Amino acid sequence: MAEKQATREAYGKALIALGAENPNIVVLDADLSKSTKTAEFAKTYPERFLNMGIAEQNMMGTAAGLAASGKIPFASTFAVFATGRAFEQIRNSIAYPKLNVKIAATHAGITVGEDGATHQAIEDVAIMRALPNMTVLVPADGVETRLAIFAAVKHQGPVYIRMGRLELPVLFDENYHFQIGKANILRKGRDAAIVANGVMVAIALEAAEALAQEGISVTVVNAASVKPFDKETLTLVAKEVKAVVTAEEHTVIGGLGSAVAEVLAEEWPLPLVRVGLQDTFGESGRPYELLEKYGLTEERLVVAVKQALSKADR
Amino acid sequence: MNVIDLKRMANQIRQDIITMLVPAKSGHPGGSLSAADILTVLYFQEMRIRPDKPHWEERDRFVLSKGHAAPVLYAALAEKGYFPKEELLGLRQTGRMLQGHPDMKGIPGVDMSTGSLGQGFSAANGMALAGKMDGKDYRVYALLGDGELAEGQVWEAAMAAAHFKLDNLTAILDFNGLQIDGTTDEVMSSAPLPDKWRAFGWHVIELDGHDIEALLKGFDEAHRVKGRPTILIAKTVKGKGVSFMENAVGWHGNAPNAEQAEQALKALREEVAQLG
């Protein structure tokens, strides 16, 4: 796969297009506009861009006030500050009154790389998912990011969109269909299913290919919409396989792995292995070295599928 | 309304506060009573609002950043006709409209859900920014408590309001000097207050928060200030109007019982009778 694009890059481009078609789009940033890629919007629509300085709590509250006055604010900063520093502002000023704020967070996960654990959000999906009224989206490539951003604008209410710093392979083309609350089956198999999102989708597809070589047939589901979660698709998929593996660049506590575990436990119990950060913070390093060190690789997924299948044989 | 009518209304709002807190059996009388004159002037003179159209786009907005003073807001809204006064007796009760802290989704006239201190002030900034972007002439008012000033978010918002030259935003500080654990000077001093706000780029007006005429003049002055936001630092008495609640820390978050309420209402009725 030759073409690559960081999801944050696609976000920046989507904002420019949105700005042109909808005058109510307003973008807020907390002194990170070059990194979050909102800088281009700031240049194109300076009258609708608010640099709030390094003050995330006030940024979220201001976004709430803008939304209460009919604007569609996108509030951007790194995921760790958006959901951590400003958690309670999101809870009480945005989620509780169900205000139409889009929290577009970049630099999620350990693929932030060299900045280390303080800047690597590994629990953001868990804490956003716990909030009533909140929609949580974790797109897998630039195409899906663009579609998720547009879908977020059509959706009335708060949305958390998780994006990354790292350039990712472009997986989808313009025919790709994205819908909030729907998972996409990218590959069909008979033995096991890998449910992934974000950075891990491309890796899951590679793992499925490697497993096919060994005669293990794997379904790959892209669950970009962590909340609302597509119970129906997962249940249908689960009924056709013997075991499930989840793959996320996030702690296995509270994120995609938990969402899948909850659905399986209630709807169709199956052996499950959750691949992700095993209740640990990240550290400084090159993104792909960190993915390797923390077990977020094709090789690890291959092993995980075999482990899950061996549980099914017990 | 003339000044006498405003005084009568403030007295009525104080009676409403006491009355609604009895069946609620909990709630915050002290900081509600201290803000009664401020809200009366806002809702019955200063603000451009239409109770028949709570979401009217051209309306002035009010954010009760010290959300625990919900009873004074609910009383003002009910007296203004946003909802029936009987609703006040359902305050804080299961299944009823009036939540313990203001809820913009369920209560007509509430412009922002608040209760977690410091947060409403930022939302008021956002509303003022939206007004500027849209070229609308509505004004935004935010009522802060002095204990609330310990929240860092207040100062983030104060900095931003001056940075964005929000002259359509007026903050009012209910400067009653008391918070849950004691006086603000004991718990966390915010002195020197006017200097802090001036240093943050605000136009500061100091006044007596129970003097209706001073409040009217203060809001009038705020209208004329261009290029920066204005704060009215309103010196108030916590529990104002109910002698046994005045300046008493214990009446921050305790509702009066029926007997105490009757004593309070009697005094308030006598006070309003003296207005003629």
Side-chain angles (χ1 to χ4, degrees):
Chain A
M1 271 172 279
E3 204 191 341
K4 283 194 157 195
Q5 186 184 37
T7 47
R8 60 176 169 146
E9 200 75 52
Y11 165 55
K13 290 199 163 66
L15 279 182
I16 303 291
L18 276 171
E21 71 180 44
N22 191 333
N24 282 326
I25 302 286
V26 177
V27 177
L28 301 91
D29 207 302
D31 194 37
L32 287 169
S33 66
K34 290 183 189 76
S35 300
T36 62
K37 301 297 173 189
T38 62
E40 196 62 30
F41 183 96
K43 224 190 293 167
T44 316
Y45 306 104
E47 71 289 351
R48 285 190 272 150
F49 176 79
L50 298 166
N51 199 329
M52 302 305 296
I54 308 162
E56 295 79 12
Q57 303 173 45
N58 184 49
M59 175 171 74
M60 292 305 173
T62 303
L66 285 160
S69 312
K71 299 293 174 196
I72 307 173
F74 276 79
S76 280
T77 181
F78 290 180
V80 74
F81 309 131
T83 65
R85 184 60 157 266
F87 171 72
E88 202 228 325
Q89 281 73 21
I90 294 175
R91 182 195 190 276
N92 279 323
S93 290
I94 296 174
Y96 170 51
K98 208 179 175 190
L99 285 168
N100 201 19
V101 176
K102 316 306 171 186
I103 301 155
T106 67
H107 295 64
I110 56 171
T111 50
V112 164
E114 293 80 352
D115 275 354
T118 53
H119 285 52
Q120 298 166 344
I122 51 140
E123 74 286 31
D124 53 318
V125 173
I127 55 188
M128 288 298 102
R129 193 168 81 91
L131 288 175
N133 294 335
M134 185 63 74
T135 291
V136 181
L137 307 177
V138 185
D141 77 344
V143 172
E144 189 168 52
T145 299
R146 181 187 171 85
L147 295 170
I149 296 291
F150 275 79
V153 171
K154 287 210 178 72
H155 174 85
Q156 183 67 34
V159 181
Y160 177 69
I161 306 140
R162 181 191 216 227
M163 293 169 289
R165 169 176 181 248
L166 187 66
E167 290 201 331
L168 299 177
V170 175
L171 300 173
F172 310 121
D173 60 27
E174 291 301 329
N175 299 318
Y176 182 76
H177 183 70
F178 174 85
Q179 194 183 330
I180 291 174
K182 286 298 287 179
N184 277 309
I185 298 170
L186 304 182
R187 181 185 173 118
K188 283 276 236 178
R190 294 175 313 276
D191 299 316
I194 304 176
V195 183
N197 63 19
V199 168
M200 297 308 292
V201 174
I203 296 167
L205 286 167
E206 287 167 13
E209 194 56 45
L211 284 159
Q213 304 292 320
E214 299 183 39
I216 300 171
S217 159
V218 174
T219 293
V220 177
V221 178
N222 176 18
S225 182
V226 181
K227 189 184 174 191
F229 190 78
D230 186 354
K231 264 187 180 185
E232 291 70 31
T233 297
L234 178 62
T235 308
L236 284 173
V237 164
K239 286 178 177 172
E240 290 172 1
V241 296
K242 296 189 276 294
V244 176
V245 169
T246 57
E248 61 194 315
E249 189 202 7
H250 185 273
T251 174
V252 292
I253 299 171
L256 176 65
S258 294
V260 169
E262 289 157 18
V263 174
L264 291 179
E266 288 183 348
E267 304 294 331
W268 196 262
L270 274 186
L272 172 70
V273 173
R274 292 170 300 149
V275 172
L277 291 156
Q278 303 297 321
D279 198 15
T280 177
F281 287 107
E283 64 181 75
S284 288
R286 292 204 179 91
Y288 281 103
E289 289 172 7
L290 293 177
L291 288 173
E292 185 81 35
K293 178 162 182 178
Y294 288 89
L296 301 177
T297 59
E298 174 194 329
E299 295 74 21
R300 170 66 195 133
L301 282 179
V302 166
V303 171
V305 166
K306 291 176 182 169
Q307 284 172 337
L309 284 170
S310 72
K311 290 193 203 181
D313 289 338
R314 281 193 303 229
Chain B
M1 268 191 186
N2 64 35
V3 173
I4 294 289
D5 285 341
L6 288 168
K7 284 182 179 169
R8 280 200 197 94
M9 181 54 71
N11 179 287
Q12 182 59 49
I13 285 175
R14 287 195 165 92
Q15 292 189 44
D16 293 342
I17 291 166
I18 297 299
T19 305
M20 80 176 94
L21 284 171
V22 176
K25 295 195 172 72
S26 68
H28 300 81
S32 297
L33 292 166
S34 66
D37 301 295
I38 296 165
L39 264 81
T40 299
V41 170
L42 281 170
Y43 275 89
F44 291 87
Q45 189 63 40
E46 173 67 12
M47 291 204 301
R48 183 176 73 194
I49 44 176
R50 290 183 55 180
D52 59 322
K53 281 180 85 176
H55 296 289
W56 180 40
E57 283 187 16
E58 310 301 321
R59 75 188 186 283
D60 289 344
R61 274 83 168 156
F62 174 75
V63 178
L64 184 66
S65 200
K66 48 170 286 186
H68 56 278
V72 67
L73 174 60
Y74 296 161
L77 292 173
E79 292 293 345
K80 193 75 189 173
Y82 281 91
F83 49 80
K85 274 186 76 173
E86 302 83 78
E87 283 294 342
L88 297 177
L89 299 176
L91 174 70
R92 290 176 164 250
Q93 289 167 42
T94 310
R96 298 298 296 269
M97 178 174 80
L98 296 181
Q99 300 298 300
H101 291 84
D103 164 26
M104 67 185 289
K105 286 291 163 188
I107 308 170
V110 172
D111 287 318
M112 183 66 206
S113 298
T114 52
S116 177
L117 295 174
Q119 296 195 20
F121 194 27
S122 294
N125 275 5
M127 293 172 186
L129 279 162
K132 290 267 179 198
M133 283 179 189
D134 292 340
K136 289 188 184 291
D137 69 346
Y138 66 72
R139 298 184 65 79
V140 182
Y141 299 87
L143 182 70
L144 299 162
D146 50 355
E148 182 177 7
L149 298 185
E151 290 284 4
Q153 187 179 356
V154 168
W155 301 101
E156 292 184 6
M159 201 186 290
H163 176 80
F164 291 117
K165 302 185 170 55
L166 299 180
D167 50 18
N168 53 347
L169 173 70
T170 303
I172 309 102
L173 181 69
D174 182 1
F175 188 16
N176 62 36
L178 296 182
Q179 55 190 106
I180 296 176
D181 278 348
T183 68
T184 47
D185 284 341
E186 286 164 357
V187 178
M188 184 52 63
S189 171
S190 54
L193 261 191
D195 297 350
K196 278 201 176 85
W197 288 95
R198 281 192 199 104
F200 272 73
W202 285 62
H203 178 68
V204 178
I205 301 170
E206 293 180 83
L207 48 75
D208 175 349
H210 303 305
D211 181 338
I212 300 280
E213 283 158 313
L215 285 164
L216 290 167
K217 276 203 327 216
F219 286 120
D220 206 48
E221 182 176 329
H223 273 263
R224 293 195 303 274
V225 174
K226 296 297 166 208
R228 59 193 165 139
T230 294
I231 182 163
L232 274 53
I233 298 182
K235 189 74 199 77
T236 55
V237 173
K238 198 158 183 171
K240 174 74 177 177
V242 176
S243 58
F244 61 90
M245 289 184 179
E246 286 190 1
N247 279 322
V249 163
W251 286 102
H252 170 87
N254 289 306
N257 62 30
E259 198 183 321
Q260 290 163 328
E262 197 36 57
Q263 188 189 339
L265 290 170
K266 186 164 170 273
L268 285 165
R269 285 192 289 262
E270 281 165 13
E271 185 198 279
V272 78
Q274 282 168 12
L275 289 172

